[in-house]
Amino acid sequence: MEAPPPAATETLDPAGDVAIDVSHLTVVRGHRLVLPDLSVRIPRGLVTGLLGPSGGGKSTLIRAIVGVQIVESGTISVLGEPAGSPQLRRRVGYVTQAPSVYDDLSIRENINYFARLVGASADDVDWAIDQVGLADHAGQRVANLSGGQLSRTSLACALVGRPEALVLDEPTVGLDPVLRRSLWTLFHQLADSGTTLLVSSHVMDEASRCDRLLLLREGRILADGSFDELLRRTNTHDAEDAFLALIDAEDAAQHRGVAS
Amino acid sequence: MRLAFVSAGRILRQLRNDPRTIGLMLVVPLVLIGLMAWIYHGQPLIFDHVGPALLGVFPLTVMFIVTSITTLRERQSGTLERLLTTPLSKGAFMSGYALAFGVVALVQALLASAWSVWVCGMSIHGAWWQLVIVAVIDAVLGSSLGLLASGFARSEFQAVQFMPAFILPQFLLCGLFVSRDSLPTGLKQLSDVLPLSYAVDAMNTLATRIDGGSDVAKDVGILIGFSILALVGGALTLRRRTV
């Protein structure tokens, strides 16, 4: 099999279509090089899936994009501003991997707090609760919620400010298929209204739900393009096989590199 | 600064949803002061010495524990990381805690001083409202120290251990057991740089003197200074970017 062709986003126009521009990003955690010189562009107004195995650097890349990760070198621009700059704090919504909400508050109290931090209105709070399908439980204490309700509460806390870019770290983990489908529908509705979404997942099946895919393994981008492109290029029929084909191709290329 | 009030409201709402913690914060000091009054039932002069000192010890200790654990939870649950990606500043985050626990401290101080004076029969010569002010500042200091300490704890288990590490030495040297002037030289100097000493000094002044206002003001000034130092130190341990 041939080595993967160059990244597809190079055709994007940085001024107009690019929401997040990561350039030569290097991140070291402890003594481990998690992201070695990673460059990638994430288009505006689409749902981009960040897929790959756990430990491949997905959360680190996401944390770097929202500006909470200490980076070794490289630049990241988000919506035209450097990542983590104060101007972005109202424009970018971030959902951490573990649901980061307050146990001892109700769903509504949690969302209300994050709403007031970003200057959102009471209507926005109702809208966010509605979007994640928790209207019937809004008064319930978060400590008594199921895992899925918890992660949806966490998501609503980011939605409520109606940010221009939403960065979601594994938002669909542990959800049943029906809920997962409804969240992906929501993501596409948001994208249709102009929001840029970056959604990470280690579940390969979710690849087919994304407008664009980034496959990340051991800190490097294995593929960048649409799902169909990926299948065509690897001559496979599902995301899992495509991913494996890419890994095999890369490993083979590396062996050749060592041999020569 | 508006967001500090928003955060304080959220913290108080969390507390309201947790009546047992409120109960512990408000009732435990009363029980302990009552116990002391009972122990020294036959020696009211000793209670008049110990009672005011306890009014200085409790707000700081209780708020220290509560704040260090709650802020540690924010660090560990991911809520802090998330908050720091919102328009909430580090200063507003810290002030939110100081404000919220200041309110709790006000209630605690009103209850504890009323209880000490009217139920336990502790005599005070200074103004009652000054007693309350000292207790509130003392509690805010406890919160600030708790915020600072939480930056050095990796687990709730460690945070709890900070209580004996941070607070007990201050408790032993604050003048409760041996008056600060009678401490051996090295210990006297050590007690001079520990914040709790000034809270207890102020309480003792209020208990024993009518005209101690200016001394109390000086002690309160020192307590505020310590508090600001601890908040600045705490803000330094809050990192927007982490590894």
Side-chain angles (χ1 to χ4, degrees):
Chain A
M1 195 176 287
E2 270 177 75
T9 40
E10 282 177 9
T11 53
L12 289 171
D13 163 26
D17 315 329
V18 176
I20 302 169
D21 193 347
V22 178
S23 171
H24 300 290
L25 176 67
T26 299
V27 175
V28 179
R29 294 181 84 170
H31 292 289
R32 208 167 74 85
L33 185 60
V34 184
L35 299 178
D37 195 36
L38 182 134
S39 295
V40 70
R41 285 173 182 164
I42 291 158
R44 206 178 274 268
L46 292 180
V47 181
T48 301
L50 178 60
L51 280 86
S54 310
K58 297 192 300 295
S59 292
T60 305
L61 176 57
I62 279 184
R63 294 183 71 242
I65 287 170
V66 297
V68 296
Q69 174 70 51
I70 294 176
V71 304
E72 191 79 9
S73 60
T75 58
I76 306 174
S77 108
V78 180
L79 305 171
E81 307 273 355
S85 67
Q87 296 89 322
L88 287 176
R89 290 191 191 128
R90 250 171 249 278
R91 301 171 65 198
V92 178
Y94 170 42
V95 178
T96 50
Q97 192 164 19
S100 44
V101 286
Y102 297 99
D103 276 11
D104 35 13
L105 293 179
S106 70
I107 294 178
R108 179 178 294 279
E109 285 172 329
N110 265 293
I111 299 168
N112 209 20
Y113 175 54
F114 285 96
R116 296 186 66 185
L117 291 182
V118 295
S121 70
D123 286 344
D124 292 326
V125 173
D126 289 332
W127 171 82
I129 292 173
D130 216 39
Q131 290 300 312
V132 297
L134 287 173
D136 296 338
H137 305 275
Q140 223 166 304
R141 190 77 56 84
V142 165
N144 306 326
L145 299 180
S146 71
Q149 291 170 325
L150 203 61
S151 59
R152 281 183 287 153
T153 306
S154 190
L155 174 61
C157 290
L159 283 182
V160 73
R162 301 191 190 232
E164 292 164 58
L166 262 174
V167 182
L168 314 174
D169 199 356
E170 309 242 356
T172 57
V173 161
L175 296 185
D176 69 63
V178 179
L179 274 173
R180 249 170 46 191
R181 186 180 59 192
S182 71
L183 280 188
W184 281 103
T185 309
L186 168 64
F187 297 160
H188 284 286
Q189 281 168 359
L190 292 168
D192 289 345
S193 61
T195 309
T196 300
L197 289 97
L198 178 65
V199 183
S200 82
S201 175
H202 67 266
V203 184
M204 287 300 152
D205 294 348
E206 305 208 292
S208 60
R209 299 188 182 278
C210 306
D211 297 323
R212 292 186 82 82
L213 286 180
L214 297 172
L215 290 188
L216 188 67
R217 181 186 178 236
E218 290 169 1
R220 282 173 313 117
I221 302 280
L222 283 190
D224 178 353
S226 76
F227 184 49
D228 290 340
E229 277 167 36
L230 177 71
L231 293 184
R232 227 176 303 130
R233 222 175 82 206
T234 54
N235 203 11
T236 52
H237 299 287
D238 66 50
E240 186 117 4
D241 286 345
F243 189 54
L244 289 171
L246 287 172
I247 290 173
D248 289 345
E250 197 198 39
D251 286 350
Q254 246 169 22
H255 276 292
R256 277 200 303 275
V258 172
S260 62
Chain B
M1 204 55 210
R2 189 185 67 81
L3 294 184
F5 284 96
V6 169
S7 284
R10 182 264 301 175
I11 295 158
L12 288 174
R13 211 161 278 127
Q14 281 178 285
L15 273 181
R16 196 189 59 194
N17 289 345
D18 184 6
R20 192 174 303 179
T21 296
I22 299 183
L24 287 168
M25 290 167 88
L26 297 181
V27 175
V28 168
L30 304 191
V31 171
L32 292 176
I33 292 170
L35 192 62
M36 281 296 197
W38 199 3
I39 290 172
Y40 293 113
H41 181 66
Q43 298 137 292
L45 285 179
I46 297 186
F47 181 65
D48 279 345
H49 170 68
V50 174
L54 288 181
L55 284 179
V57 169
F58 285 131
L60 186 123
T61 313
V62 172
M63 295 305 161
F64 176 85
I65 299 173
V66 175
T67 317
S68 59
I69 303 266
T70 43
T71 49
L72 182 71
R73 255 189 229 163
E74 293 240 32
R75 287 172 200 269
Q76 291 188 330
S77 67
T79 46
L80 178 65
E81 175 165 308
R82 179 177 213 164
L83 288 177
L84 293 178
T85 67
T86 71
L88 182 72
S89 68
K90 292 193 266 183
F93 172 82
M94 308 267 292
S95 317
Y97 269 98
L99 275 170
F101 288 125
V103 170
V104 179
L106 178 65
V107 179
Q108 189 197 53
L110 288 170
L111 283 175
S113 48
W115 170 265
S116 304
V117 173
W118 287 321
V119 181
C120 302
M122 186 180 92
S123 56
I124 57 163
H125 293 87
W128 196 71
W129 59 269
Q130 289 178 353
L131 202 75
V132 174
I133 287 180
V134 174
V136 170
I137 302 292
D138 190 29
V140 170
L141 174 64
S143 280
S144 317
L145 290 172
L147 280 163
L148 177 62
S150 80
F152 298 98
R154 292 283 161 271
S155 64
E156 289 191 18
F157 188 59
Q158 286 182 8
V160 173
Q161 302 301 318
F162 277 139
M163 207 285 279
F166 263 83
I167 303 293
L168 265 186
Q170 301 195 51
F171 182 68
L172 294 174
L173 297 174
C174 71
L176 181 65
F177 297 99
V178 173
S179 88
R180 297 211 300 123
D181 294 331
S182 325
L183 285 171
T185 326
L187 290 183
K188 163 80 172 86
Q189 280 145 357
L190 186 56
S191 85
D192 282 343
V193 295
L194 297 176
L196 184 60
S197 306
Y198 296 92
V200 170
D201 280 357
M203 290 296 189
N204 280 332
T205 307
L206 284 168
T208 52
R209 285 165 45 196
I210 294 176
D211 58 345
S214 65
D215 283 355
V216 172
K218 203 176 80 196
D219 288 332
V220 166
I222 292 171
L223 290 176
I224 292 173
F226 272 117
S227 207
I228 290 169
L229 275 182
L231 282 173
V232 170
L236 290 176
T237 71
L238 288 184
R239 295 291 162 96
R240 220 173 263 282
R241 285 181 186 268
T242 52
V243 280

